[in-house]
Amino acid sequence: MPIVDHSAVPETPWRPNYQVFELAGPKDGVSSTLSYAILGDGAEAPLHFHEDDEFIVILEGTLEVRLGDEVRRVGADHTVVVPSRVPHGFTSVGP
């Protein structure tokens, strides 16, 4: 049974003020990828899309999220559901 120790996962270099840790993925024999990210204020992911669905779980803080033509602020204890091939991006706007 694969168990991931989050403290043992190395950081994947990404963007300034934006830490990413890949917890599981194809290297583990699964088709999905699960990542954990820590964003500082102002960190962002520019508009992009994926071939697969994406779920952005916000544990703390607030993101300003663009999903297609809609822009909303989304806070802790919410999940943004991003269908495949839908352009999306976000910026961390603080607590």
Side-chain angles (χ1 to χ4, degrees), residues 40-60:
D41 292 349
E44 64 182 350
L47 197 62
H48 64 286
F49 69 90
H50 306 278
E51 294 300 323
D52 297 314
D53 300 331
E54 181 176 12
F55 303 93
I56 302 169
V57 179
I58 303 166
L59 299 175
E60 60 183 59

mmCIF file with all atom_site columns, all heavy atoms in Angstrom, residues 40-60:
data_model
loop_
_atom_site.group_PDB
_atom_site.id
_atom_site.type_symbol
_atom_site.label_atom_id
_atom_site.label_alt_id
_atom_site.label_comp_id
_atom_site.label_asym_id
_atom_site.label_entity_id
_atom_site.label_seq_id
_atom_site.pdbx_PDB_ins_code
_atom_site.Cartn_x
_atom_site.Cartn_y
_atom_site.Cartn_z
_atom_site.occupancy
_atom_site.B_iso_or_equiv
_atom_site.pdbx_formal_charge
_atom_site.auth_seq_id
_atom_site.auth_comp_id
_atom_site.auth_asym_id
_atom_site.auth_atom_id
_atom_site.pdbx_PDB_model_num
ATOM 1   N N   . GLY A 1 40 ? 3.041   32.215 -1.581  1.00 0.00 ? 40 GLY A N   1
ATOM 2   C CA  . GLY A 1 40 ? 3.139   33.471 -0.864  1.00 0.00 ? 40 GLY A CA  1
ATOM 3   C C   . GLY A 1 40 ? 2.235   34.500 -1.529  1.00 0.00 ? 40 GLY A C   1
ATOM 4   O O   . GLY A 1 40 ? 1.764   34.301 -2.656  1.00 0.00 ? 40 GLY A O   1
ATOM 5   N N   . ASP A 1 41 ? 1.976   35.600 -0.831  1.00 0.00 ? 41 ASP A N   1
ATOM 6   C CA  . ASP A 1 41 ? 1.146   36.659 -1.417  1.00 0.00 ? 41 ASP A CA  1
ATOM 7   C C   . ASP A 1 41 ? 1.731   37.096 -2.750  1.00 0.00 ? 41 ASP A C   1
ATOM 8   O O   . ASP A 1 41 ? 2.944   37.309 -2.880  1.00 0.00 ? 41 ASP A O   1
ATOM 9   C CB  . ASP A 1 41 ? 1.064   37.863 -0.475  1.00 0.00 ? 41 ASP A CB  1
ATOM 10  C CG  . ASP A 1 41 ? 0.276   37.558 0.788   1.00 0.00 ? 41 ASP A CG  1
ATOM 11  O OD1 . ASP A 1 41 ? -0.371  36.495 0.847   1.00 0.00 ? 41 ASP A OD1 1
ATOM 12  O OD2 . ASP A 1 41 ? 0.319   38.382 1.716   1.00 0.00 ? 41 ASP A OD2 1
ATOM 13  N N   . GLY A 1 42 ? 0.874   37.209 -3.751  1.00 0.00 ? 42 GLY A N   1
ATOM 14  C CA  . GLY A 1 42 ? 1.281   37.670 -5.071  1.00 0.00 ? 42 GLY A CA  1
ATOM 15  C C   . GLY A 1 42 ? 1.752   36.564 -5.996  1.00 0.00 ? 42 GLY A C   1
ATOM 16  O O   . GLY A 1 42 ? 1.888   36.792 -7.195  1.00 0.00 ? 42 GLY A O   1
ATOM 17  N N   . ALA A 1 43 ? 1.994   35.364 -5.482  1.00 0.00 ? 43 ALA A N   1
ATOM 18  C CA  . ALA A 1 43 ? 2.400   34.247 -6.354  1.00 0.00 ? 43 ALA A CA  1
ATOM 19  C C   . ALA A 1 43 ? 1.243   33.914 -7.278  1.00 0.00 ? 43 ALA A C   1
ATOM 20  O O   . ALA A 1 43 ? 0.074   34.070 -6.921  1.00 0.00 ? 43 ALA A O   1
ATOM 21  C CB  . ALA A 1 43 ? 2.794   33.042 -5.522  1.00 0.00 ? 43 ALA A CB  1
ATOM 22  N N   . GLU A 1 44 ? 1.570   33.456 -8.475  1.00 0.00 ? 44 GLU A N   1
ATOM 23  C CA  . GLU A 1 44 ? 0.491   33.203 -9.425  1.00 0.00 ? 44 GLU A CA  1
ATOM 24  C C   . GLU A 1 44 ? 0.821   32.086 -10.398 1.00 0.00 ? 44 GLU A C   1
ATOM 25  O O   . GLU A 1 44 ? 1.982   31.706 -10.564 1.00 0.00 ? 44 GLU A O   1
ATOM 26  C CB  . GLU A 1 44 ? 0.172   34.468 -10.218 1.00 0.00 ? 44 GLU A CB  1
ATOM 27  C CG  . GLU A 1 44 ? 1.314   34.961 -11.089 1.00 0.00 ? 44 GLU A CG  1
ATOM 28  C CD  . GLU A 1 44 ? 0.968   36.248 -11.816 1.00 0.00 ? 44 GLU A CD  1
ATOM 29  O OE1 . GLU A 1 44 ? -0.198  36.668 -11.800 1.00 0.00 ? 44 GLU A OE1 1
ATOM 30  O OE2 . GLU A 1 44 ? 1.878   36.816 -12.416 1.00 0.00 ? 44 GLU A OE2 1
ATOM 31  N N   . ALA A 1 45 ? -0.217  31.567 -11.002 1.00 0.00 ? 45 ALA A N   1
ATOM 32  C CA  . ALA A 1 45 ? -0.114  30.654 -12.133 1.00 0.00 ? 45 ALA A CA  1
ATOM 33  C C   . ALA A 1 45 ? -0.808  31.382 -13.285 1.00 0.00 ? 45 ALA A C   1
ATOM 34  O O   . ALA A 1 45 ? -1.999  31.700 -13.182 1.00 0.00 ? 45 ALA A O   1
ATOM 35  C CB  . ALA A 1 45 ? -0.799  29.334 -11.846 1.00 0.00 ? 45 ALA A CB  1
ATOM 36  N N   . PRO A 1 46 ? -0.087  31.690 -14.347 1.00 0.00 ? 46 PRO A N   1
ATOM 37  C CA  . PRO A 1 46 ? -0.712  32.399 -15.465 1.00 0.00 ? 46 PRO A CA  1
ATOM 38  C C   . PRO A 1 46 ? -1.765  31.528 -16.154 1.00 0.00 ? 46 PRO A C   1
ATOM 39  O O   . PRO A 1 46 ? -1.831  30.316 -15.923 1.00 0.00 ? 46 PRO A O   1
ATOM 40  C CB  . PRO A 1 46 ? 0.460   32.704 -16.393 1.00 0.00 ? 46 PRO A CB  1
ATOM 41  C CG  . PRO A 1 46 ? 1.488   31.684 -16.067 1.00 0.00 ? 46 PRO A CG  1
ATOM 42  C CD  . PRO A 1 46 ? 1.299   31.351 -14.609 1.00 0.00 ? 46 PRO A CD  1
ATOM 43  N N   . LEU A 1 47 ? -2.558  32.150 -16.979 1.00 0.00 ? 47 LEU A N   1
ATOM 44  C CA  . LEU A 1 47 ? -3.618  31.453 -17.704 1.00 0.00 ? 47 LEU A CA  1
ATOM 45  C C   . LEU A 1 47 ? -3.028  30.281 -18.482 1.00 0.00 ? 47 LEU A C   1
ATOM 46  O O   . LEU A 1 47 ? -2.048  30.434 -19.215 1.00 0.00 ? 47 LEU A O   1
ATOM 47  C CB  . LEU A 1 47 ? -4.318  32.437 -18.643 1.00 0.00 ? 47 LEU A CB  1
ATOM 48  C CG  . LEU A 1 47 ? -5.678  32.031 -19.177 1.00 0.00 ? 47 LEU A CG  1
ATOM 49  C CD1 . LEU A 1 47 ? -6.677  31.851 -18.038 1.00 0.00 ? 47 LEU A CD1 1
ATOM 50  C CD2 . LEU A 1 47 ? -6.190  33.074 -20.150 1.00 0.00 ? 47 LEU A CD2 1
ATOM 51  N N   . HIS A 1 48 ? -3.612  29.099 -18.288 1.00 0.00 ? 48 HIS A N   1
ATOM 52  C CA  . HIS A 1 48 ? -3.152  27.881 -18.947 1.00 0.00 ? 48 HIS A CA  1
ATOM 53  C C   . HIS A 1 48 ? -4.293  26.864 -18.922 1.00 0.00 ? 48 HIS A C   1
ATOM 54  O O   . HIS A 1 48 ? -5.360  27.135 -18.381 1.00 0.00 ? 48 HIS A O   1
ATOM 55  C CB  . HIS A 1 48 ? -1.917  27.306 -18.224 1.00 0.00 ? 48 HIS A CB  1
ATOM 56  C CG  . HIS A 1 48 ? -2.193  26.868 -16.826 1.00 0.00 ? 48 HIS A CG  1
ATOM 57  N ND1 . HIS A 1 48 ? -2.391  27.752 -15.767 1.00 0.00 ? 48 HIS A ND1 1
ATOM 58  C CD2 . HIS A 1 48 ? -2.330  25.625 -16.293 1.00 0.00 ? 48 HIS A CD2 1
ATOM 59  C CE1 . HIS A 1 48 ? -2.623  27.068 -14.661 1.00 0.00 ? 48 HIS A CE1 1
ATOM 60  N NE2 . HIS A 1 48 ? -2.596  25.775 -14.947 1.00 0.00 ? 48 HIS A NE2 1
ATOM 61  N N   . PHE A 1 49 ? -4.072  25.689 -19.519 1.00 0.00 ? 49 PHE A N   1
ATOM 62  C CA  . PHE A 1 49 ? -5.058  24.616 -19.429 1.00 0.00 ? 49 PHE A CA  1
ATOM 63  C C   . PHE A 1 49 ? -4.332  23.278 -19.406 1.00 0.00 ? 49 PHE A C   1
ATOM 64  O O   . PHE A 1 49 ? -3.131  23.196 -19.687 1.00 0.00 ? 49 PHE A O   1
ATOM 65  C CB  . PHE A 1 49 ? -6.078  24.676 -20.579 1.00 0.00 ? 49 PHE A CB  1
ATOM 66  C CG  . PHE A 1 49 ? -5.502  24.347 -21.924 1.00 0.00 ? 49 PHE A CG  1
ATOM 67  C CD1 . PHE A 1 49 ? -5.489  23.040 -22.388 1.00 0.00 ? 49 PHE A CD1 1
ATOM 68  C CD2 . PHE A 1 49 ? -4.974  25.342 -22.736 1.00 0.00 ? 49 PHE A CD2 1
ATOM 69  C CE1 . PHE A 1 49 ? -4.958  22.736 -23.623 1.00 0.00 ? 49 PHE A CE1 1
ATOM 70  C CE2 . PHE A 1 49 ? -4.442  25.049 -23.972 1.00 0.00 ? 49 PHE A CE2 1
ATOM 71  C CZ  . PHE A 1 49 ? -4.439  23.732 -24.423 1.00 0.00 ? 49 PHE A CZ  1
ATOM 72  N N   . HIS A 1 50 ? -5.079  22.237 -19.040 1.00 0.00 ? 50 HIS A N   1
ATOM 73  C CA  . HIS A 1 50 ? -4.556  20.875 -18.981 1.00 0.00 ? 50 HIS A CA  1
ATOM 74  C C   . HIS A 1 50 ? -5.470  19.959 -19.790 1.00 0.00 ? 50 HIS A C   1
ATOM 75  O O   . HIS A 1 50 ? -6.641  20.264 -19.995 1.00 0.00 ? 50 HIS A O   1
ATOM 76  C CB  . HIS A 1 50 ? -4.543  20.348 -17.539 1.00 0.00 ? 50 HIS A CB  1
ATOM 77  C CG  . HIS A 1 50 ? -3.832  21.230 -16.587 1.00 0.00 ? 50 HIS A CG  1
ATOM 78  N ND1 . HIS A 1 50 ? -2.467  21.234 -16.435 1.00 0.00 ? 50 HIS A ND1 1
ATOM 79  C CD2 . HIS A 1 50 ? -4.296  22.164 -15.718 1.00 0.00 ? 50 HIS A CD2 1
ATOM 80  C CE1 . HIS A 1 50 ? -2.124  22.106 -15.520 1.00 0.00 ? 50 HIS A CE1 1
ATOM 81  N NE2 . HIS A 1 50 ? -3.206  22.698 -15.063 1.00 0.00 ? 50 HIS A NE2 1
ATOM 82  N N   . GLU A 1 51 ? -4.940  18.827 -20.186 1.00 0.00 ? 51 GLU A N   1
ATOM 83  C CA  . GLU A 1 51 ? -5.742  17.816 -20.885 1.00 0.00 ? 51 GLU A CA  1
ATOM 84  C C   . GLU A 1 51 ? -6.650  17.068 -19.909 1.00 0.00 ? 51 GLU A C   1
ATOM 85  O O   . GLU A 1 51 ? -7.649  16.486 -20.317 1.00 0.00 ? 51 GLU A O   1
ATOM 86  C CB  . GLU A 1 51 ? -4.829  16.829 -21.621 1.00 0.00 ? 51 GLU A CB  1
ATOM 87  C CG  . GLU A 1 51 ? -4.050  17.459 -22.767 1.00 0.00 ? 51 GLU A CG  1
ATOM 88  C CD  . GLU A 1 51 ? -4.946  18.052 -23.857 1.00 0.00 ? 51 GLU A CD  1
ATOM 89  O OE1 . GLU A 1 51 ? -6.006  17.472 -24.164 1.00 0.00 ? 51 GLU A OE1 1
ATOM 90  O OE2 . GLU A 1 51 ? -4.572  19.111 -24.395 1.00 0.00 ? 51 GLU A OE2 1
ATOM 91  N N   . ASP A 1 52 ? -6.285  17.079 -18.627 1.00 0.00 ? 52 ASP A N   1
ATOM 92  C CA  . ASP A 1 52 ? -7.071  16.387 -17.599 1.00 0.00 ? 52 ASP A CA  1
ATOM 93  C C   . ASP A 1 52 ? -7.748  17.398 -16.680 1.00 0.00 ? 52 ASP A C   1
ATOM 94  O O   . ASP A 1 52 ? -7.347  18.553 -16.611 1.00 0.00 ? 52 ASP A O   1
ATOM 95  C CB  . ASP A 1 52 ? -6.165  15.485 -16.760 1.00 0.00 ? 52 ASP A CB  1
ATOM 96  C CG  . ASP A 1 52 ? -5.527  14.393 -17.592 1.00 0.00 ? 52 ASP A CG  1
ATOM 97  O OD1 . ASP A 1 52 ? -6.246  13.756 -18.380 1.00 0.00 ? 52 ASP A OD1 1
ATOM 98  O OD2 . ASP A 1 52 ? -4.311  14.189 -17.458 1.00 0.00 ? 52 ASP A OD2 1
ATOM 99  N N   . ASP A 1 53 ? -8.767  16.945 -15.947 1.00 0.00 ? 53 ASP A N   1
ATOM 100 C CA  . ASP A 1 53 ? -9.412  17.789 -14.952 1.00 0.00 ? 53 ASP A CA  1
ATOM 101 C C   . ASP A 1 53 ? -8.398  18.157 -13.873 1.00 0.00 ? 53 ASP A C   1
ATOM 102 O O   . ASP A 1 53 ? -7.419  17.438 -13.649 1.00 0.00 ? 53 ASP A O   1
ATOM 103 C CB  . ASP A 1 53 ? -10.573 17.046 -14.279 1.00 0.00 ? 53 ASP A CB  1
ATOM 104 C CG  . ASP A 1 53 ? -11.656 16.625 -15.265 1.00 0.00 ? 53 ASP A CG  1
ATOM 105 O OD1 . ASP A 1 53 ? -11.840 17.306 -16.290 1.00 0.00 ? 53 ASP A OD1 1
ATOM 106 O OD2 . ASP A 1 53 ? -12.304 15.600 -15.003 1.00 0.00 ? 53 ASP A OD2 1
ATOM 107 N N   . GLU A 1 54 ? -8.644  19.279 -13.196 1.00 0.00 ? 54 GLU A N   1
ATOM 108 C CA  . GLU A 1 54 ? -7.790  19.693 -12.087 1.00 0.00 ? 54 GLU A CA  1
ATOM 109 C C   . GLU A 1 54 ? -8.676  20.142 -10.929 1.00 0.00 ? 54 GLU A C   1
ATOM 110 O O   . GLU A 1 54 ? -9.737  20.733 -11.146 1.00 0.00 ? 54 GLU A O   1
ATOM 111 C CB  . GLU A 1 54 ? -6.876  20.849 -12.506 1.00 0.00 ? 54 GLU A CB  1
ATOM 112 C CG  . GLU A 1 54 ? -5.950  21.313 -11.403 1.00 0.00 ? 54 GLU A CG  1
ATOM 113 C CD  . GLU A 1 54 ? -4.972  22.388 -11.848 1.00 0.00 ? 54 GLU A CD  1
ATOM 114 O OE1 . GLU A 1 54 ? -5.130  22.948 -12.938 1.00 0.00 ? 54 GLU A OE1 1
ATOM 115 O OE2 . GLU A 1 54 ? -4.048  22.658 -11.072 1.00 0.00 ? 54 GLU A OE2 1
ATOM 116 N N   . PHE A 1 55 ? -8.226  19.867 -9.719  1.00 0.00 ? 55 PHE A N   1
ATOM 117 C CA  . PHE A 1 55 ? -8.935  20.290 -8.518  1.00 0.00 ? 55 PHE A CA  1
ATOM 118 C C   . PHE A 1 55 ? -7.957  21.097 -7.680  1.00 0.00 ? 55 PHE A C   1
ATOM 119 O O   . PHE A 1 55 ? -6.862  20.617 -7.374  1.00 0.00 ? 55 PHE A O   1
ATOM 120 C CB  . PHE A 1 55 ? -9.435  19.080 -7.719  1.00 0.00 ? 55 PHE A CB  1
ATOM 121 C CG  . PHE A 1 55 ? -10.325 18.191 -8.539  1.00 0.00 ? 55 PHE A CG  1
ATOM 122 C CD1 . PHE A 1 55 ? -9.805  17.106 -9.224  1.00 0.00 ? 55 PHE A CD1 1
ATOM 123 C CD2 . PHE A 1 55 ? -11.675 18.464 -8.644  1.00 0.00 ? 55 PHE A CD2 1
ATOM 124 C CE1 . PHE A 1 55 ? -10.621 16.297 -10.001 1.00 0.00 ? 55 PHE A CE1 1
ATOM 125 C CE2 . PHE A 1 55 ? -12.502 17.655 -9.413  1.00 0.00 ? 55 PHE A CE2 1
ATOM 126 C CZ  . PHE A 1 55 ? -11.972 16.572 -10.101 1.00 0.00 ? 55 PHE A CZ  1
ATOM 127 N N   . ILE A 1 56 ? -8.343  22.309 -7.322  1.00 0.00 ? 56 ILE A N   1
ATOM 128 C CA  . ILE A 1 56 ? -7.498  23.184 -6.515  1.00 0.00 ? 56 ILE A CA  1
ATOM 129 C C   . ILE A 1 56 ? -8.181  23.321 -5.160  1.00 0.00 ? 56 ILE A C   1
ATOM 130 O O   . ILE A 1 56 ? -9.232  23.951 -5.039  1.00 0.00 ? 56 ILE A O   1
ATOM 131 C CB  . ILE A 1 56 ? -7.318  24.554 -7.188  1.00 0.00 ? 56 ILE A CB  1
ATOM 132 C CG1 . ILE A 1 56 ? -6.712  24.383 -8.577  1.00 0.00 ? 56 ILE A CG1 1
ATOM 133 C CG2 . ILE A 1 56 ? -6.465  25.466 -6.308  1.00 0.00 ? 56 ILE A CG2 1
ATOM 134 C CD1 . ILE A 1 56 ? -6.732  25.639 -9.434  1.00 0.00 ? 56 ILE A CD1 1
ATOM 135 N N   . VAL A 1 57 ? -7.586  22.695 -4.151  1.00 0.00 ? 57 VAL A N   1
ATOM 136 C CA  . VAL A 1 57 ? -8.132  22.709 -2.798  1.00 0.00 ? 57 VAL A CA  1
ATOM 137 C C   . VAL A 1 57 ? -7.410  23.808 -2.027  1.00 0.00 ? 57 VAL A C   1
ATOM 138 O O   . VAL A 1 57 ? -6.189  23.787 -1.904  1.00 0.00 ? 57 VAL A O   1
ATOM 139 C CB  . VAL A 1 57 ? -7.926  21.345 -2.107  1.00 0.00 ? 57 VAL A CB  1
ATOM 140 C CG1 . VAL A 1 57 ? -8.482  21.386 -0.690  1.00 0.00 ? 57 VAL A CG1 1
ATOM 141 C CG2 . VAL A 1 57 ? -8.572  20.232 -2.922  1.00 0.00 ? 57 VAL A CG2 1
ATOM 142 N N   . ILE A 1 58 ? -8.165  24.755 -1.504  1.00 0.00 ? 58 ILE A N   1
ATOM 143 C CA  . ILE A 1 58 ? -7.585  25.875 -0.772  1.00 0.00 ? 58 ILE A CA  1
ATOM 144 C C   . ILE A 1 58 ? -7.734  25.596 0.720   1.00 0.00 ? 58 ILE A C   1
ATOM 145 O O   . ILE A 1 58 ? -8.846  25.544 1.246   1.00 0.00 ? 58 ILE A O   1
ATOM 146 C CB  . ILE A 1 58 ? -8.267  27.201 -1.179  1.00 0.00 ? 58 ILE A CB  1
ATOM 147 C CG1 . ILE A 1 58 ? -8.129  27.390 -2.686  1.00 0.00 ? 58 ILE A CG1 1
ATOM 148 C CG2 . ILE A 1 58 ? -7.661  28.373 -0.402  1.00 0.00 ? 58 ILE A CG2 1
ATOM 149 C CD1 . ILE A 1 58 ? -9.021  28.448 -3.269  1.00 0.00 ? 58 ILE A CD1 1
ATOM 150 N N   . LEU A 1 59 ? -6.596  25.393 1.370   1.00 0.00 ? 59 LEU A N   1
ATOM 151 C CA  . LEU A 1 59 ? -6.604  25.064 2.799   1.00 0.00 ? 59 LEU A CA  1
ATOM 152 C C   . LEU A 1 59 ? -6.556  26.312 3.670   1.00 0.00 ? 59 LEU A C   1
ATOM 153 O O   . LEU A 1 59 ? -7.105  26.326 4.764   1.00 0.00 ? 59 LEU A O   1
ATOM 154 C CB  . LEU A 1 59 ? -5.417  24.160 3.130   1.00 0.00 ? 59 LEU A CB  1
ATOM 155 C CG  . LEU A 1 59 ? -5.391  22.821 2.392   1.00 0.00 ? 59 LEU A CG  1
ATOM 156 C CD1 . LEU A 1 59 ? -4.111  22.069 2.718   1.00 0.00 ? 59 LEU A CD1 1
ATOM 157 C CD2 . LEU A 1 59 ? -6.624  21.989 2.748   1.00 0.00 ? 59 LEU A CD2 1
ATOM 158 N N   . GLU A 1 60 ? -5.871  27.350 3.189   1.00 0.00 ? 60 GLU A N   1
ATOM 159 C CA  . GLU A 1 60 ? -5.832  28.625 3.910   1.00 0.00 ? 60 GLU A CA  1
ATOM 160 C C   . GLU A 1 60 ? -5.500  29.721 2.915   1.00 0.00 ? 60 GLU A C   1
ATOM 161 O O   . GLU A 1 60 ? -4.996  29.474 1.829   1.00 0.00 ? 60 GLU A O   1
ATOM 162 C CB  . GLU A 1 60 ? -4.819  28.598 5.052   1.00 0.00 ? 60 GLU A CB  1
ATOM 163 C CG  . GLU A 1 60 ? -3.394  28.343 4.638   1.00 0.00 ? 60 GLU A CG  1
ATOM 164 C CD  . GLU A 1 60 ? -2.447  28.264 5.820   1.00 0.00 ? 60 GLU A CD  1
ATOM 165 O OE1 . GLU A 1 60 ? -2.655  27.405 6.688   1.00 0.00 ? 60 GLU A OE1 1
ATOM 166 O OE2 . GLU A 1 60 ? -1.514  29.070 5.871   1.00 0.00 ? 60 GLU A OE2 1
#
